[in-house]
Amino acid sequence: MASFDAGLYRQVLGQRSFRLFWLGFVFSVLGDSMTRVALTWIVYEQTGSARAIGWLMLCYTGPIVVGGLMAGALLDRFDRRTVMIVDNAIRGVAVATIPLLHLLGRLEIWHIYVVAVVYGLLMMVSLAGTPALIPALVKPEQRSTANALEMLGFTLGGIIGPPLTGLLIGWVAAPYVILLDALTYVGFAIVLAATRTEARVAATRVARRLSSMREVAGLMVRQPVLLSTTLMFMAFNLGSGFIYLTLPVMSDRVLGGGPGLYGALLGVLAAGQVTSALLSGTLTFTRPLGTMICMAQMAAGAALLLLLGQHVAAAFAGLALYGLMSSPLTVWAQTLRMQIIPEQLRGRAFALLRTIMQAGTPIGGAAGGVLLPVLGIPAMIGIGALLVSTPGALGYRVRELRQAGAQAMTRVEPPTAGETPDAVTVGDS
């Protein structure tokens, strides 16, 4: 069913431009995770208010919708490296104002909120720019491995950043920890300037004539693989929001382990994600990627049912398996999207897709906060598991998705001027 080839990572990382880009990306993600923790701690330390932290989270996430649409248009209209360099310069300056104002004794809460708004407004430039740029850095057959490395970078940043920030805050003031993030922005901008990508002059000329998201929205609605995976992942993230909300309550009230057990459960989940992210870049499957996505999503939902056992061992096993099944979904789906989405639409397409994906988990968490006191923990776990797994079974019934990623997949060419993306096809039927 699958063949293992650890040399795939060596081949991809052996390419200087991608290696530099990936290293800069990883350190930037690490810096971002550290800043989020440090800013949260500063707000909590100065106010002691949960409401103030809630406002900070809103400042982080609220501008993403507007920023996502803006970022996609910029990435398609101008050179993507240049857009990402400017993004890193602006965000680097913004976060650097926090330690500077602290040093001058002028740091106030509203300064932190403004920085969070700037970060949220521009965050999608990197989130959408990275998958839009990867196809210009590696060969088509190396995209899955490159996507696995991107997922690995996100996961490692989420694992290493928070505990490292907690350790550093104990040594230096939290605002000075943020200075490290400012330096990662500088480093990523330098790396991007040194990165060489394939020139696509004709595609750029076409892109500059496009002025709205209409082409991207039309492609997503008409293309079965894009539409089905988007709906599947929206449901997956909603279900995940239910689970993430329930975990701390279950750890304390049902399993009796308190915050220590809660942290350990999240650590096991993250370990599963890292393991599968590493493996997904070295495995070649005989089955189509679309089929593998459906099977993995169904398996992820089934793994969550182990939490219904309400035992510590079952919870660890369920979350470890859930982590193992969840990381490859993004890797495989992103590889398919790169084959389907025309080059000149990738900035807007990935911005729109990732904006939608970003919204799923917090919406699920908010809905879960209302439903948990009414339905109870077992029902929340069951609903979360169904939201995760059922779309995988439904997706398998979509022939185009089930066949997507097979070796016989039709090669997609960007449409020329005057054409629409309607002709994009996947599968040999």
Side-chain angles (χ1 to χ4, degrees):
M1 184 178 176
S3 59
F4 177 82
D5 185 0
L8 292 173
Y9 281 125
R10 185 169 60 252
Q11 294 171 15
V12 173
L13 292 174
Q15 301 175 65
R16 180 178 180 275
S17 285
F18 180 81
R19 182 174 66 252
L20 288 174
F21 174 81
W22 183 71
L23 289 172
F25 166 77
V26 170
F27 282 108
S28 180
V29 169
L30 177 62
D32 285 347
S33 68
M34 293 175 67
T35 290
R36 283 193 293 271
V37 174
L39 289 182
T40 302
W41 183 258
I42 294 171
V43 171
Y44 175 73
E45 194 173 44
Q46 291 193 10
T47 67
S49 167
R51 179 176 295 181
I53 296 175
W55 279 110
L56 176 63
M57 296 300 101
L58 180 63
C59 290
Y60 258 123
T61 58
I64 289 177
V65 175
V66 176
L69 300 177
M70 175 188 69
L74 291 173
L75 289 165
D76 281 340
R77 192 171 186 86
F78 303 104
D79 177 72
R80 286 166 185 157
R81 286 186 310 133
T82 302
V83 174
M84 293 177 72
I85 289 170
V86 173
D87 159 59
N88 277 272
I90 294 174
R91 287 199 287 168
V93 170
V95 299
T97 60
I98 298 296
L100 177 61
L101 289 170
H102 175 77
L103 182 64
L104 296 175
R106 299 220 171 157
L107 181 61
E108 298 181 22
I109 294 298
W110 71 268
H111 294 138
I112 297 173
Y113 290 159
V114 170
V115 170
V117 167
V118 172
Y119 175 87
L121 194 63
L122 297 177
M123 183 180 73
M124 200 54 65
V125 173
S126 290
L127 281 181
T130 297
L133 199 58
I134 283 176
L137 295 173
V138 299
K139 299 175 182 178
E141 62 271 19
Q142 296 173 329
R143 289 174 182 173
S144 185
T145 303
N147 291 332
L149 284 167
E150 186 209 10
M151 185 65 192
L152 180 63
F154 277 123
T155 308
L156 288 176
I159 293 173
I160 299 172
L164 179 59
T165 304
L167 182 64
L168 290 175
I169 289 175
W171 292 345
V172 297
Y176 297 133
V177 175
I178 297 173
L179 185 60
L180 293 175
D181 190 21
L183 294 176
T184 66
Y185 282 121
V186 174
F188 197 18
I190 293 173
V191 165
L192 285 164
T195 300
R196 296 292 173 261
T197 60
E198 180 182 349
R200 297 184 182 274
V201 178
T204 301
R205 284 201 297 266
V206 174
R208 287 177 178 173
R209 283 195 286 271
L210 302 177
S211 58
S212 73
M213 293 290 289
R214 187 175 63 255
E215 294 88 355
V216 176
L219 174 62
M220 288 181 59
V221 171
R222 290 188 294 267
Q223 219 296 321
V225 174
L226 294 181
L227 180 60
S228 56
T229 54
T230 299
L231 294 175
M232 287 166 60
F233 289 5
M234 286 175 63
F236 184 99
N237 288 338
L238 284 170
S240 297
F242 274 50
I243 298 299
Y244 287 136
L245 177 86
T246 305
L247 273 181
V249 181
M250 186 179 73
S251 300
D252 186 40
R253 298 182 186 175
V254 177
L255 302 179
L261 177 60
Y262 173 55
L265 289 173
L266 292 179
V268 167
L269 191 158
Q273 291 176 328
V274 169
T275 302
S276 60
L278 281 168
L279 289 175
S280 61
T282 61
L283 296 176
T284 302
F285 294 93
T286 56
R287 292 191 177 186
L289 288 183
T291 296
M292 298 303 299
I293 290 171
C294 296
M295 293 174 63
Q297 187 155 344
M298 286 188 283
L304 291 175
L305 293 176
L306 291 174
L307 299 179
L308 291 173
Q310 299 190 5
H311 295 291
V312 173
F316 275 119
L319 290 174
L321 290 171
Y322 173 75
L324 281 169
M325 293 297 107
S326 60
S327 280
L329 293 174
T330 299
V331 175
W332 295 334
Q334 190 160 290
T335 300
L336 292 179
R337 290 165 183 159
M338 288 176 179
Q339 295 171 329
I340 295 168
I341 300 169
E343 193 277 339
Q344 70 270 19
L345 298 181
R346 283 182 184 145
R348 279 167 290 181
F350 281 112
L352 181 59
L353 286 167
R354 291 199 159 178
T355 299
I356 293 172
M357 297 303 108
Q358 288 282 322
T361 301
I363 290 174
V370 176
L371 294 175
L372 178 60
V374 178
L375 300 179
I377 291 175
M380 291 290 290
I381 293 172
I383 294 172
L386 284 175
L387 284 171
V388 169
S389 62
T390 304
L394 296 175
Y396 189 77
R397 297 175 61 86
V398 179
R399 183 184 59 183
E400 292 85 353
L401 175 60
R402 192 169 63 244
Q403 297 175 348
Q407 291 184 354
M409 175 178 287
T410 302
R411 185 174 183 269
V412 178
E413 297 289 349
T416 55
E419 292 182 337
T420 65
D422 296 80
V424 176
T425 58
V426 174
D428 52 2
S429 59

